[in-house]
Amino acid sequence: MRSIPRPSTLKDELQVLFLAVGSAFLVLATVLLYQNGQASLRRQLLASASTAAEAAAALVSLEDHRSLRSPQDLNSRAFRNIVQSLGALRRANPGIVHLFTIAPVGKLGGWGVVVDMGGSAPVRDERNLVRGRLPIGAPPPGSLPASLIQEGMGGTAARILDFANPSRARAVAVTSIVTPNGASVGLVVAELSAANLIEEVRLLWYVSIAIFLVGLVVSVFASNLASRWVTRPIEELSRGVDEIAKGNLRTRVSTHSRNELGSLASAFNLMAQSLEASQARTDEQQSLLRELHRLGSQVASTLELPRMLETAARGIRAICGGEEAFAGAMGPRDSAVRVWTRTGPGTLDMQGWETPADLLEDVLGGETRLLVRQEFAAAGLSMLLDRPGEYAVAAPLRVSDQPIGVLVALGSRGQFRAEAVSLAALFARQVSAAVGNARLFEQVRAVDRSKSEFLSIASHEVRTPLTVMKSSLDILVSSPKFEYTTDQRQLIAFCQESVDRLIRLVKDILDVSKIEAGVLSIQFQPTSLNELIEKCLFWVPQLPGGQGIEVEARLPSEPAMVLADPGRITQVLENLISNAIKFSKPGGKVTIELRSHEREYEVIVSDQGKGIAPEDLERIFGKFYQVADSATREQGGTGLGLAICKGIVEAHRGKIWAESALGDGSRFHFALTRVMDTPIGDGAEGQISVDTLLSSLRKASARASRAA
Ligand code: ADP
């Protein structure tokens, strides 16, 4: 069995409720209407019948009626009198289906017909309605109830008989024919056809049904309207809540109704309005914070103080508002803010501007404040009195609780944002950190510069006596004037070796200092890598351990031309090859390969030594880094060779890297841009002409020398 779907919305529920109540009223009203109508129609018919009977009783002569007792009286004058009187009545009333009088006969209380006028209406059922006239003395028709006769004795009684049977239905009225002194001499019986009544009742039934159906349709509409009327504000509110939940805070609901729902809608609108306003405030704050973050990053993106201050001045104005803005800073040992930058309309000479830090501290006390014009001088900002602004948001810049400068946004009160002071304080904190970093960086750079200078000077100073020592030792060994025992010779050889090492170390330190100071001098010239590698192979056997190692070079037949300083690239090659030999096992093999690529030449020095662990691969190019194992230490060295190689290769705009795995040997690569002797623009895309590259590299090298 299918279940009836339950109403799912308030509107449906209300509609069903309204419809049910409406229908109940409708049924009640229809039934009442029908019953009242029917009763009234019946009353009318009964009244007509009674009127007819009473009229007939009034017309009948008492004397005449009393004298008629046997069928022979038919031709009597009395009979004719009564027939005449009643005939007129019968003709005047076409609804009468039977009109007759009866009178008591005999002593047993029976009744006999006196005058039968027949009927003026057509008789429908001959069996039940008397068509012909009954003779005088005949018993009354059996369809006339005895109880009705009894009632008629006391006045007039009327009843509708056989109403359910349309062919027999009739209204029967019985009334007494009384003498002036109240004695009854008989009864008049008037039967009126109920056919019309039945028709009218049927019509009434149809009308009632029609009214019911129309009422039903109207009540469906009305219930729909009523439920809508009730639920529309609720639906509207619910839609509003949905929209708010989706984030559409501009949603409003209509507030036409004046009842509680209307108040609820007004409250909803107020809530949406305040939500929208607070969302707008949040959005604005978020965008301000984003802007703050962006400006903070911009300030921190440079380490140059003037540029940093320029960005800071623009930032404070963007964040706070105002007509113009200033950013000032002081040097590490200064007591006043003397470096000023400004942003705003027009230009301004800020030469000689000076804000004593103690005045700034006195007025601001390390806090960001909105200053009025009268306070400018006290805060050390008297130069701003020439400017048009009446108010200034002043945010001190501080590092380690010490003042280092100030940010100022100047303008009229209305030009500043409500949160200008708190935002300026946040921004000032970012700028302070950036200025602090810039100062730190400057200090580190200065220390580094002086360290490199010291190393360079010290190395020079050390190299001279070392060179003297080396020459003296060489003379001692080679001069025939001196004769030595074997032990003495051995000792001199140790000294020579140590002096050589020291000279190498000093040379390396010098190179590293130059690289760090960016002043390594590089003499660029077209250079053939093949030639440099071949030259290196000559002295390989002289290297310590070089005799036991096989060294193989795989070089292309055509020259690999690069723009390079041959001396420096030879230094790189020597370093890589000597490392490869140094870290090879006896009988191992070292390969030097030269590969040609589209834009560069690549040199690979590989060995079959013990290799380098992955965690050391990146670090071996750092200064003084040696892989921490005893084997490495045993081989000697300074830990500077690869750092110098990196510096030299990068000064050539090339790259250097290593590949290795423990136990699998090492491969050191470096790549330099190849030079094609072809001018740019003749189809050899990406290749650079010798002249172009040479001139650009010379310019770079000249710049580096100037900087030194
Ligand atoms: P060093 O003078 O100590 O050789 P380098 O800068 O030339 O200084 O090398 C740094 C360290 O890198 C070396 O001490 C060594 O541990 C490691 N190394 C360099 N070349 C090789 C190689 N071919 N095989 C294994 N380890 C190497």
Side-chain angles (χ1 to χ4, degrees):
M1 213 179 108
R2 274 185 62 200
S3 62
I4 300 164
R6 287 164 60 90
S8 55
T9 62
L10 178 63
K11 188 177 151 233
D12 291 346
E13 286 172 3
L14 281 175
Q15 192 171 350
V16 168
L17 182 71
F18 290 150
L19 195 58
V21 173
S23 304
F25 273 115
L26 209 57
V27 168
L28 196 67
T30 310
V31 169
L32 284 176
L33 174 75
Y34 175 71
Q35 281 187 341
N36 278 343
Q38 192 183 13
S40 145
L41 289 172
R42 279 167 169 265
R43 273 196 306 277
Q44 277 175 27
L45 187 63
L46 290 173
S48 301
S50 302
T51 309
E54 282 165 3
L59 289 173
V60 173
S61 151
L62 296 174
E63 292 307 319
D64 291 346
H65 197 264
R66 228 183 250 149
S67 63
L68 297 174
R69 283 297 176 266
S70 66
Q72 290 78 19
D73 297 333
L74 265 178
N75 293 321
S76 69
R77 190 179 148 78
F79 187 79
R80 277 200 307 275
N81 282 347
I82 292 175
V83 167
Q84 203 173 1
S85 311
L86 295 185
L89 176 68
R90 199 200 56 193
R91 278 192 300 278
N93 196 337
I96 296 174
V97 290
H98 201 185
L99 180 64
F100 60 96
T101 66
I102 54 173
V105 287
K107 294 202 168 71
L108 297 174
W111 291 85
V113 173
V114 179
V115 179
D116 182 5
M117 296 298 296
S120 54
V123 176
R124 292 185 188 187
D125 187 342
E126 296 195 2
R127 277 173 297 139
N128 295 299
L129 289 182
V130 182
R131 182 196 173 95
R133 299 177 177 183
L134 296 167
I136 297 173
S143 56
L144 181 66
S147 57
L148 191 59
I149 293 174
Q150 282 304 313
E151 284 174 40
M153 297 270 286
T156 304
R159 204 179 286 176
I160 289 174
L161 300 176
D162 296 325
F163 185 69
N165 185 344
S167 57
R168 289 169 51 194
R170 62 200 190 277
V172 182
V174 180
T175 192
S176 287
I177 306 165
V178 286
T179 59
N181 54 11
S184 174
V185 294
L187 297 171
V188 175
V189 181
E191 293 186 4
L192 263 64
S193 165
N196 281 347
L197 173 67
I198 289 174
E199 280 305 313
E200 280 166 4
V201 168
R202 187 176 292 141
L203 193 64
L204 181 65
W205 172 248
Y206 292 146
V207 168
S208 303
I209 292 294
I211 288 174
F212 174 78
L213 291 176
V214 169
L216 199 63
V217 172
V218 170
S219 105
V220 167
F221 276 110
S223 63
N224 190 14
L225 279 180
S227 60
R228 249 199 230 174
W229 179 73
V230 173
T231 56
R232 192 183 295 146
I234 297 173
E235 281 172 359
E236 177 90 331
L237 272 170
S238 141
R239 184 193 57 78
V241 171
D242 280 353
E243 287 296 312
I244 295 273
K246 279 186 216 152
N248 183 5
L249 300 181
R250 294 179 153 204
T251 304
R252 298 289 181 276
V253 295
S254 63
T255 53
H256 297 313
S257 39
R258 294 187 181 174
N259 53 19
E260 290 87 340
L261 286 174
S263 319
L264 194 59
S266 303
F268 175 89
N269 285 347
L270 275 178
M271 181 199 73
Q273 199 178 337
S274 84
L275 270 179
E276 192 186 355
S278 87
Q279 179 68 46
R281 269 200 305 281
T282 312
D283 286 352
E284 195 190 313
Q285 275 166 359
Q286 264 180 4
S287 81
L288 269 175
L289 286 177
R290 266 199 299 274
E291 181 68 359
L292 194 69
H293 180 256
R294 192 184 65 79
L295 289 165
S297 318
Q298 234 175 48
V299 170
S301 69
T302 177
L303 287 167
E304 285 173 38
L305 193 63
R307 271 188 61 200
M308 195 177 274
L309 290 178
E310 259 170 42
T311 319
R314 266 187 281 123
I316 192 83
R317 189 168 160 221
I319 288 170
C320 298
E323 182 74 12
E324 55 185 341
F326 304 87
M330 50 203 271
R333 273 172 290 278
D334 281 352
S335 58
V337 179
R338 292 199 183 89
V339 184
W340 284 99
T341 58
R342 167 188 177 272
T343 181
T347 53
L348 180 66
D349 180 14
M350 292 183 288
Q351 201 69 40
W353 275 29
E354 206 171 287
T355 299
D358 48 353
L359 293 187
L360 211 54
E361 285 286 284
D362 283 352
V363 172
L364 298 182
E367 299 290 327
T368 301
R369 276 194 50 205
L370 181 70
L371 302 179
V372 291
R373 205 172 173 74
Q374 292 80 349
E375 292 174 291
F376 288 0
L381 298 167
S382 45
M383 60 276 199
L384 298 183
L385 292 170
D386 295 339
R387 311 304 306 156
E390 290 298 312
Y391 288 85
V393 175
L397 301 178
R398 291 160 71 86
V399 167
S400 311
D401 261 355
Q402 293 303 311
I404 55 163
V406 65
L407 302 179
V408 181
L410 195 66
S412 62
R413 186 74 184 86
Q415 282 175 322
F416 292 120
R417 278 207 177 86
E419 318 83 352
V421 170
S422 51
L423 288 170
L426 277 177
F427 185 57
R429 234 172 280 161
Q430 291 179 321
V431 176
S432 299
V435 173
N437 286 344
R439 278 184 169 194
L440 216 59
F441 179 72
E442 196 40 57
Q443 281 167 8
V444 170
R445 213 156 54 172
V447 168
D448 212 43
R449 258 201 307 269
S450 53
K451 187 193 75 184
S452 294
E453 265 167 35
F454 165 77
L455 276 176
S456 168
I457 293 165
S459 307
H460 269 296
E461 295 306 311
V462 173
R463 211 152 60 147
T464 317
L466 277 177
T467 317
V468 173
M469 281 167 71
K470 181 177 164 56
S471 320
S472 307
L473 286 169
D474 286 349
I475 293 167
L476 274 180
V477 173
S478 55
S479 172
K481 282 199 277 179
F482 308 111
E483 286 195 1
Y484 304 105
T485 61
T486 317
D487 287 345
Q488 284 168 333
R489 274 196 186 282
Q490 183 75 56
L491 286 171
I492 293 173
F494 282 154
C495 284
Q496 273 182 313
E497 207 177 293
S498 299
V499 168
D500 279 346
R501 262 203 211 174
L502 266 176
I503 290 175
R504 244 194 347 265
L505 176 65
V506 169
K507 191 174 141 291
D508 280 357
I509 290 176
L510 249 178
D511 281 347
V512 166
S513 335
K514 283 181 190 165
I515 287 167
E516 285 187 343
V519 294
L520 187 73
S521 94
I522 305 239
Q523 305 299 322
F524 287 104
Q525 61 184 69
T527 304
S528 158
L529 286 174
N530 315 44
E531 266 179 39
L532 298 187
I533 294 170
E534 274 160 7
K535 275 185 197 162
C536 283
L537 293 177
F538 272 118
W539 50 257
V540 165
Q542 298 156 29
L543 289 171
Q547 299 84 356
I549 306 291
E550 185 194 339
V551 179
E552 186 193 348
R554 293 182 199 156
L555 307 176
S557 50
E558 79 279 6
M561 294 304 293
V562 291
L563 267 185
D565 183 328
R568 293 291 181 191
I569 296 301
T570 304
Q571 199 179 340
V572 174
L573 282 167
E574 280 177 3
N575 215 312
L576 297 182
I577 295 169
S578 62
N579 272 352
I581 290 172
K582 195 160 70 175
F583 295 102
S584 283
K585 294 176 202 120
K589 184 176 175 185
V590 170
T591 312
I592 306 158
E593 202 180 336
L594 179 53
R595 284 188 194 165
S596 168
H597 298 292
E598 195 186 351
R599 289 167 185 248
E600 59 199 10
Y601 286 109
E602 182 185 358
V603 178
I604 308 164
V605 179
S606 1
D607 62 58
Q608 298 169 331
K610 62 185 179 59
I612 305 164
E615 64 271 20
D616 289 319
L617 267 183
E618 275 298 307
R619 305 161 79 184
I620 52 174
F621 290 99
K623 270 189 298 182
F624 298 109
Y625 188 82
Q626 291 184 309
V627 174
D629 78 24
S630 54
T632 304
R633 306 273 178 213
E634 274 166 24
Q635 306 298 330
T638 60
L640 290 172
L642 288 178
I644 294 170
C645 290
K646 187 170 186 292
I648 292 173
V649 171
E650 285 176 355
H652 282 77
R653 317 247 164 115
K655 47 190 193 264
I656 183 164
W657 71 100
E659 290 171 345
S660 181
L662 277 178
D664 193 25
S666 313
R667 281 162 303 288
F668 283 81
H669 306 243
F670 72 90
L672 297 175
T673 309
R674 62 187 289 164
V675 171
M676 303 297 288
D677 206 359
T678 325
I680 291 172
D682 68 352
E685 199 191 317
Q687 294 169 351
I688 309 166
S689 80
V690 176
D691 291 341
T692 316
L693 191 59
L694 201 52
S695 79
S696 81
L697 286 174
R698 274 186 188 136
K699 274 183 212 155
S701 139
R703 263 201 308 277
S705 313
R706 269 202 305 281

